[in-house]
Structures are given as C-alpha cells and as structure tokens.
Amino acid sequence: MFTKTTYSEDLTANYTMLSKQLDALLTGETNAIANFSNASALLNQFFDQINWVGFYLMEDGELVLGPFQGLPACVRIPVGRGVCGTAAETLETIIVPDVHAFPGHIACDAASQSEIVVPLVKDGVLVGVLDIDSPIKERFSEQDAKGLEQFVQVLVKHI
C-alpha cells in the first residue's frame, strides 16, 4: 500500500527518495499505461504549486496525450511545436520560467505560467515526454531538471 510521504527541505534527497519510491511502485508491473499512470500520480503528490503533470507519448511521429493529473489537455502535439514538441525534437530537458515568453507555446491551460519538459528516451528511441506545468512563474529549477531526469531514467526501465 502506498502512503503519502512528508519530504524534507533537501530537494536532492527528496528526488532520490522519489525515484526509489517510483522504482518500488513499478517493480513487477509490465503494463506501460499503468506505470505511466502511477508515475504521474506520484509526481502529483510530490509537487506543490503545479496545475498539470503527465505524459505525451510518441505515436506515428507525433506526441499524443498519455496518462496525466490535471485539467483536460491538448491531445496531439507535433514534434518541434511548443515546449513539449521542442523537447521531443532536441531530446533535451527544457525549463520555461515564463511560458508566455516561449515562442510557439501551446496554451492548454490558461493558468499555466511556467513549465518543465523532460524527454523519455529508451534504447536511444524517444518514447515521449514528461510535462509539468505550474501557475507560478519561475517554478522550476536546474535542480528540478536533474531530479526529474533521474526519475525518468527509473521510469523508462519499467516501460
């Protein structure tokens, strides 16, 4: 049974614990949708000051909405378009302190002010992206990027 964790003030330690929780949560489960669903739920309880967390998965050359927590979202995103599509194209994590300043930003939720997107790559192939939005500008840091990249590495082992 999963119980909500109270995290410490040490963000690096929190991300290490989060990745260990994810690994334990997904061990033994082979269904990718179930694993993406639990990963998004785990992130949703971990973060404060976010309004959307979830996955866009590669399908027929574009990103398609996958499991998430939050308001209904855009269903399809072309590679190279918006923050998610740009991260998919470059295979690099993107932190956007102010989404309104990002050229071509796709506004699925008008409340979103900042965003972080982390590509999911397995065996050299793009599987999709992790997308997290916040109603607060400058919500995400380089420390968040490193922690989420660690989280995604654990996730791709289970999909």
Side-chain angles (χ1 to χ4, degrees):
M1 176 194 330
F2 184 83
T3 58
K4 188 169 179 165
T5 301
T6 302
Y7 296 95
S8 73
E9 295 296 316
D10 182 345
L11 193 54
T12 301
N14 290 344
Y15 273 113
T16 298
M17 180 186 292
L18 182 70
S19 291
K20 287 179 182 176
Q21 288 175 318
L22 180 68
D23 194 45
L25 187 62
L26 304 186
T27 294
E29 180 52 62
T30 59
N31 184 280
I33 296 300
N35 289 341
F36 281 120
S37 297
N38 270 332
S40 66
L42 183 61
L43 287 169
N44 192 52
Q45 70 83 34
F46 174 76
F47 278 105
D48 60 354
Q49 300 179 316
I50 66 166
N51 57 322
W52 200 91
V53 56
F55 298 94
Y56 281 91
L57 306 174
M58 284 299 295
E59 183 179 302
D60 299 326
E62 66 182 341
L63 294 168
V64 178
L65 182 65
F68 69 93
Q69 306 279 312
L71 294 176
C74 304
V75 175
R76 296 181 182 274
I77 300 175
V79 171
R81 183 155 180 256
V83 182
C84 289
T86 301
E89 184 175 60
T90 63
L91 300 180
E92 294 179 1
T93 298
I94 298 176
I95 299 171
V96 182
D98 179 355
V99 294
H100 304 293
F102 189 90
H105 174 255
I106 301 168
C108 296
D109 181 349
S112 294
Q113 297 293 316
S114 62
E115 184 171 6
I116 187 167
V117 179
V118 183
L120 286 81
V121 179
K122 182 172 183 157
D123 300 327
V125 176
L126 179 69
V127 175
V129 298
L130 165 62
D131 180 23
I132 307 175
D133 295 352
S134 173
I136 309 294
K137 286 186 181 178
E138 299 181 13
R139 165 62 183 86
F140 303 104
S141 67
E142 286 298 324
Q143 200 171 11
D144 290 312
K146 289 183 187 337
L148 290 169
E149 288 167 354
Q150 175 185 353
F151 183 89
V152 161
Q153 286 177 354
V154 171
L155 176 59
V156 297
K157 288 186 334 184
H158 294 282
I159 55 171

